[in-house]
Amino acid sequence: MPKRVPPLTQLQIKNAKPREKPYKLADGGGLYLEVTPSGGKHWRMKYRQPNGKENKLHFGAFPAVSLLDARERRESARQLLAAGSDPARVRDEQARQARMAAANTFEQVAREWHQTMLAQWQPQTARDILHRFEQDVFPQIGKLAVTEIQPRDVIDAIRAVERRGALEIASRLAANCSRVFRYAVRCGLAERNPAEHLREVLAPREKGHFAAIGADGLPEFLRALNANEACMGLPVRVAMRLMLLVFVRTSELIETPWAEIDLETGEWVIPWRRMKRGKRRINPNKTDHHVCLPRQGLVLLRQLHRLTGGGTWLFPNMRDPQRPMSNNALLKALERMGYKGDMTGQVTWRSGAR
């Protein structure tokens, strides 16, 4: 039988003096304290791996690692050995996991996910998503490892957005947080998605349309338009009228070049690349839009052509004719008419179509 080693005492450890060569003070079970010539005292454990080869574990230096701590680590290592595991391999794997967790914070994974999605988004969409993360999520949970984040952490970050009344932004952030965690799971960086059911606990948001008047308010709006047209430039007047006649989006109207319109035949064809669905990165709709120009609309365009027909745009920007008119021009016109907050430029035609 192997000789039983008496356990170390605190006094032995305290009185252990350095010698010319390193020496050991055994505590039993493979654990010993190595005293170096420089006076260092380091805990070691000698053991045999499951394959029979001898190996050593390093538990740290005394007194940072006490005698009690060293014995607890020895017992943990012996339990692993009894289960057929190599404590050194387990230790190395735990260290690897810790390094990976430290490297894969929520912010780092979110930025990586964002980068992989750029080809599927419009540039403005990509900017908006990253901006919202930077403003509302990264300051809260950005530095936490994705493996450590709990549902409560994500909820607290989203609740802060809700408290300022931005319910739509909160809902979108919840969805994008969930997408980041799903990406982490698929990449093997996390095992679960703590934001999976987050939208179910958010405050419900009211769904609605952009500000618009009803059918009953249309006659009054037309009277206000007639009364204020004298204060508008011709391009703004024509734009306001055309919005009521041709049912196109504001951007599709004010960004129209004269090259798209044939004043002789009354044809207006908007290329699919300028249409909202044509701008999609994935499966764009490549159908050109043929605008039905009524007689009144053609009259308006011919009037406008006498003023701006020598340039590129139907509605050039007053400060820079090389660019089209800003949407703010129509919004300011509506504001002067007394419709601020009641209408937007894009929905003018919706009111008239009801």
Side-chain angles (χ1 to χ4, degrees):
M1 292 181 61
K3 184 178 179 182
R4 188 176 182 275
V5 178
L8 281 172
T9 65
Q10 294 286 355
L11 185 61
Q12 284 178 291
I13 297 171
K14 182 179 179 181
N15 292 335
K17 304 299 182 184
R19 301 175 184 173
E20 291 185 6
K21 295 182 179 181
Y23 67 95
K24 305 173 184 178
L25 295 176
D27 187 62
L31 177 66
Y32 62 90
L33 184 73
E34 183 178 84
V35 183
T36 66
S38 62
K41 300 175 182 180
H42 302 275
W43 293 110
R44 310 275 196 247
M45 177 181 171
K46 183 170 66 173
Y47 70 98
R48 289 194 178 276
Q49 298 171 308
N51 61 12
K53 293 183 179 180
E54 190 175 282
N55 199 5
K56 290 180 183 179
L57 289 174
H58 302 254
F59 291 158
F62 180 87
V65 177
S66 68
L67 174 59
L68 180 61
D69 291 336
R71 286 171 175 170
E72 288 178 351
R73 297 182 189 187
R74 174 189 61 194
E75 292 310 309
S76 296
R78 293 178 71 178
Q79 289 175 11
L80 290 172
L81 285 167
S85 298
D86 184 344
R89 286 183 176 273
V90 173
R91 175 202 59 197
D92 294 344
E93 176 61 20
Q94 290 174 342
R96 188 188 71 82
Q97 293 286 351
R99 289 194 302 271
M100 188 171 70
N104 295 311
T105 63
F106 180 84
E107 179 173 349
Q108 289 168 316
V109 175
R111 289 185 183 278
E112 183 179 315
W113 166 78
H114 182 271
Q115 191 68 28
T116 65
M117 296 295 292
L118 289 179
Q120 301 181 39
W121 291 331
Q122 295 296 330
Q124 186 59 50
T125 300
R127 287 192 292 270
D128 288 346
I129 290 174
L130 186 58
H131 175 70
R132 291 267 61 94
F133 272 131
E134 291 174 340
Q135 291 293 113
D136 298 315
V137 181
F138 292 165
Q140 303 294 326
I141 62 174
K143 290 182 171 57
L144 298 179
V146 289
T147 55
E148 298 176 358
I149 295 175
Q150 301 299 318
R152 187 74 248 177
D153 298 322
V154 191
I155 290 173
D156 289 344
I158 303 301
R159 289 274 192 241
V161 180
E162 284 186 335
R163 284 194 290 272
R164 67 172 190 257
L167 300 186
E168 178 63 29
I169 291 176
S171 177
R172 293 181 182 180
L173 274 176
N176 286 328
C177 283
S178 183
R179 293 184 183 111
V180 170
F181 285 114
R182 287 205 302 270
Y183 172 82
V185 171
R186 290 167 183 164
C187 291
L189 306 177
E191 295 182 354
R192 59 188 178 83
N193 176 3
E196 184 176 6
H197 303 293
L198 186 59
R199 297 180 76 172
E200 298 175 10
V201 300
L202 297 181
R205 68 190 192 281
E206 293 184 7
K207 295 183 179 180
H209 300 290
F210 289 107
I213 61 174
D216 294 342
L218 182 57
E220 181 60 33
F221 174 77
L222 291 174
R223 284 192 289 271
L225 180 59
N226 288 331
N228 285 272
E229 280 188 326
C231 301
M232 301 178 189
L234 178 63
V236 175
R237 293 204 305 270
V238 171
M240 295 284 282
R241 292 285 180 177
L242 283 174
M243 291 294 286
L244 289 164
L245 294 171
V246 297
F247 305 96
V248 296
R249 291 183 173 85
T250 307
S251 62
E252 293 164 4
L253 177 68
I254 62 179
E255 296 174 7
T256 301
W258 280 109
E260 290 181 6
I261 296 178
D262 189 333
L263 293 177
E264 296 298 323
T265 62
E267 292 185 352
W268 178 9
V269 180
I270 303 178
W272 62 267
R273 290 180 179 83
R274 279 217 305 121
M275 302 296 293
K276 182 178 180 179
R277 297 183 65 183
K279 293 178 180 178
R280 290 178 175 176
R281 293 286 184 92
I282 305 298
N283 298 324
N285 187 330
K286 298 184 179 182
T287 304
D288 294 339
H289 179 48
H290 292 254
V291 181
C292 296
L293 272 176
R295 175 179 51 81
Q296 299 94 325
L298 193 55
V299 170
L300 289 169
L301 287 172
R302 285 171 178 162
Q303 291 176 358
L304 182 65
H305 190 266
R306 289 195 287 270
L307 178 65
T308 67
T312 301
W313 310 102
L314 272 69
F315 306 101
N317 190 292
M318 291 182 61
R319 296 181 179 177
D320 182 3
Q322 301 304 313
R323 297 190 298 115
M325 173 193 293
S326 167
N327 185 45
N328 285 333
L330 299 183
L331 294 177
K332 285 296 183 182
L334 290 170
E335 181 179 340
R336 289 192 294 269
M337 291 167 57
Y339 283 86
K340 182 178 181 179
D342 295 328
M343 294 187 66
T344 62
Q346 180 170 328
V347 299
T348 302
W349 64 268
R350 292 179 184 170
S351 303
R354 289 175 179 170

